[in-house]
Amino acid sequence: YSELGKRAEALPPTQESVTIYQGLAEQNPAFLPDLAMSLNNLGNRYSQVGRDPQEAWREAVSDSDGKSRALLQFFRLRYAEAGHVEAPGWLIDALRQADDPGIVAALHAEGRRHRLAGPDKFDLCWTEVTGKATPGWLALDPALVESAEAWRSTPTYHTERDHLLAHPELLPPESEPAVAEALLGLDDQEVNRYRTLLQLARERGVAEAYAAFLSTLSEPAPQEEP
């Protein structure tokens, strides 16, 4: 429709798509990404006819709460151009609703993307809404966080070791906040494993730290006394 210049006629089917996915998402949160895509499409249609593109998002977010609200705000941040003036408010609202570490980690990443496009404006808005300074995780070096996430995501212990050998920037204690960001969403046992390995790597070197760790995996289980 819109390609033919009939922009107004493109609104009803897009609005219907939003309505359908809202109903589905209410029954099953797995449809939230589809709802978010429909909301983004509707926002684009609104923009083409001179309406506020955030209108549909505001209505959908106000009708949701908890994890669903946090996820909708996450997708809203992801679809928006970096540095959107309302991004700090969306992020703050989402973080107040999110209780899943995986969602929190994803929100943090989107927050850094938006702040990077205009730190001063972002920080001012954050302080106006919360009454506090922006938290440290917003100012982390994205490249350092990406390197830490790549370390966490390696498929084997050997590639994990090789990544740390190739990225010594993860070893200094100053890198700890970035590593902590990368470990968000993991269970306590895995977090402790990474932290222990990193500390050993700082003290003994990466190769020796992983040699000691890998040796514990190959040790036979102790025999019980008869």
Side-chain angles (χ1 to χ4, degrees):
Y1 287 130
S2 58
E3 287 78 5
L4 299 175
K6 299 181 179 179
R7 295 175 179 175
E9 287 87 339
L11 280 176
T14 312
Q15 289 169 324
E16 182 180 3
S17 176
V18 168
T19 300
I20 291 171
Y21 280 118
Q22 278 181 317
L24 290 171
E26 287 175 3
Q27 301 298 320
N28 186 349
F31 286 99
L32 281 168
D34 300 291
L35 172 58
M37 183 179 293
S38 295
L39 287 166
N40 186 61
N41 291 338
L42 184 55
N44 291 336
R45 297 288 184 256
Y46 279 170
S47 181
Q48 290 170 354
V49 297
R51 291 175 63 174
D52 181 359
Q54 293 301 320
E55 181 181 335
W57 281 103
R58 277 193 289 270
E59 183 177 345
V61 168
S62 67
D63 289 340
S64 61
D65 55 23
K67 184 177 180 179
S68 294
R69 183 174 179 130
L71 280 170
L72 280 179
Q73 293 286 48
F74 162 72
F75 285 113
R76 193 180 189 182
L77 286 160
R78 171 170 282 186
Y79 280 119
E81 183 178 355
H84 193 288
V85 67
E86 296 185 63
W90 303 339
L91 178 62
I92 292 164
D93 179 64
L95 289 171
R96 287 170 175 169
Q97 303 291 327
D99 57 6
D100 182 299
I103 297 175
V104 171
L107 286 167
H108 282 192
E110 282 301 312
R112 285 190 289 272
R113 181 176 75 89
H114 281 279
R115 182 181 181 274
L116 195 62
D120 293 339
K121 290 182 179 179
F122 189 102
D123 292 353
L124 179 61
C125 182
W126 181 283
T127 301
E128 288 176 347
V129 174
T130 66
K132 301 176 181 178
T134 49
W137 53 262
L138 275 167
L140 291 174
D141 179 1
L144 190 59
V145 176
E146 183 179 351
S147 179
E149 289 174 342
W151 178 49
R152 179 207 64 198
S153 302
T154 50
T156 69
Y157 295 134
H158 289 91
T159 54
E160 188 181 289
R161 175 201 60 199
D162 293 345
H163 182 87
L164 197 56
L165 280 167
H167 294 274
E169 70 272 11
L170 295 175
L171 292 174
E174 293 78 14
S175 70
E176 185 58 34
V179 172
E181 276 291 294
L183 300 181
L184 281 173
L186 297 183
D187 61 46
D188 291 342
Q189 183 175 354
E190 271 294 89
V191 170
N192 289 334
R193 183 182 74 81
Y194 279 106
R195 290 187 181 280
T196 299
L197 276 169
L198 196 58
Q199 185 59 39
L200 281 174
R202 288 167 179 159
E203 296 171 356
R204 306 180 189 176
V206 175
E208 186 175 340
Y210 271 90
F213 168 69
L214 292 170
S215 69
T216 65
L217 300 180
S218 58
E219 288 179 357
Q223 297 288 327
E224 292 186 7
E225 294 291 335

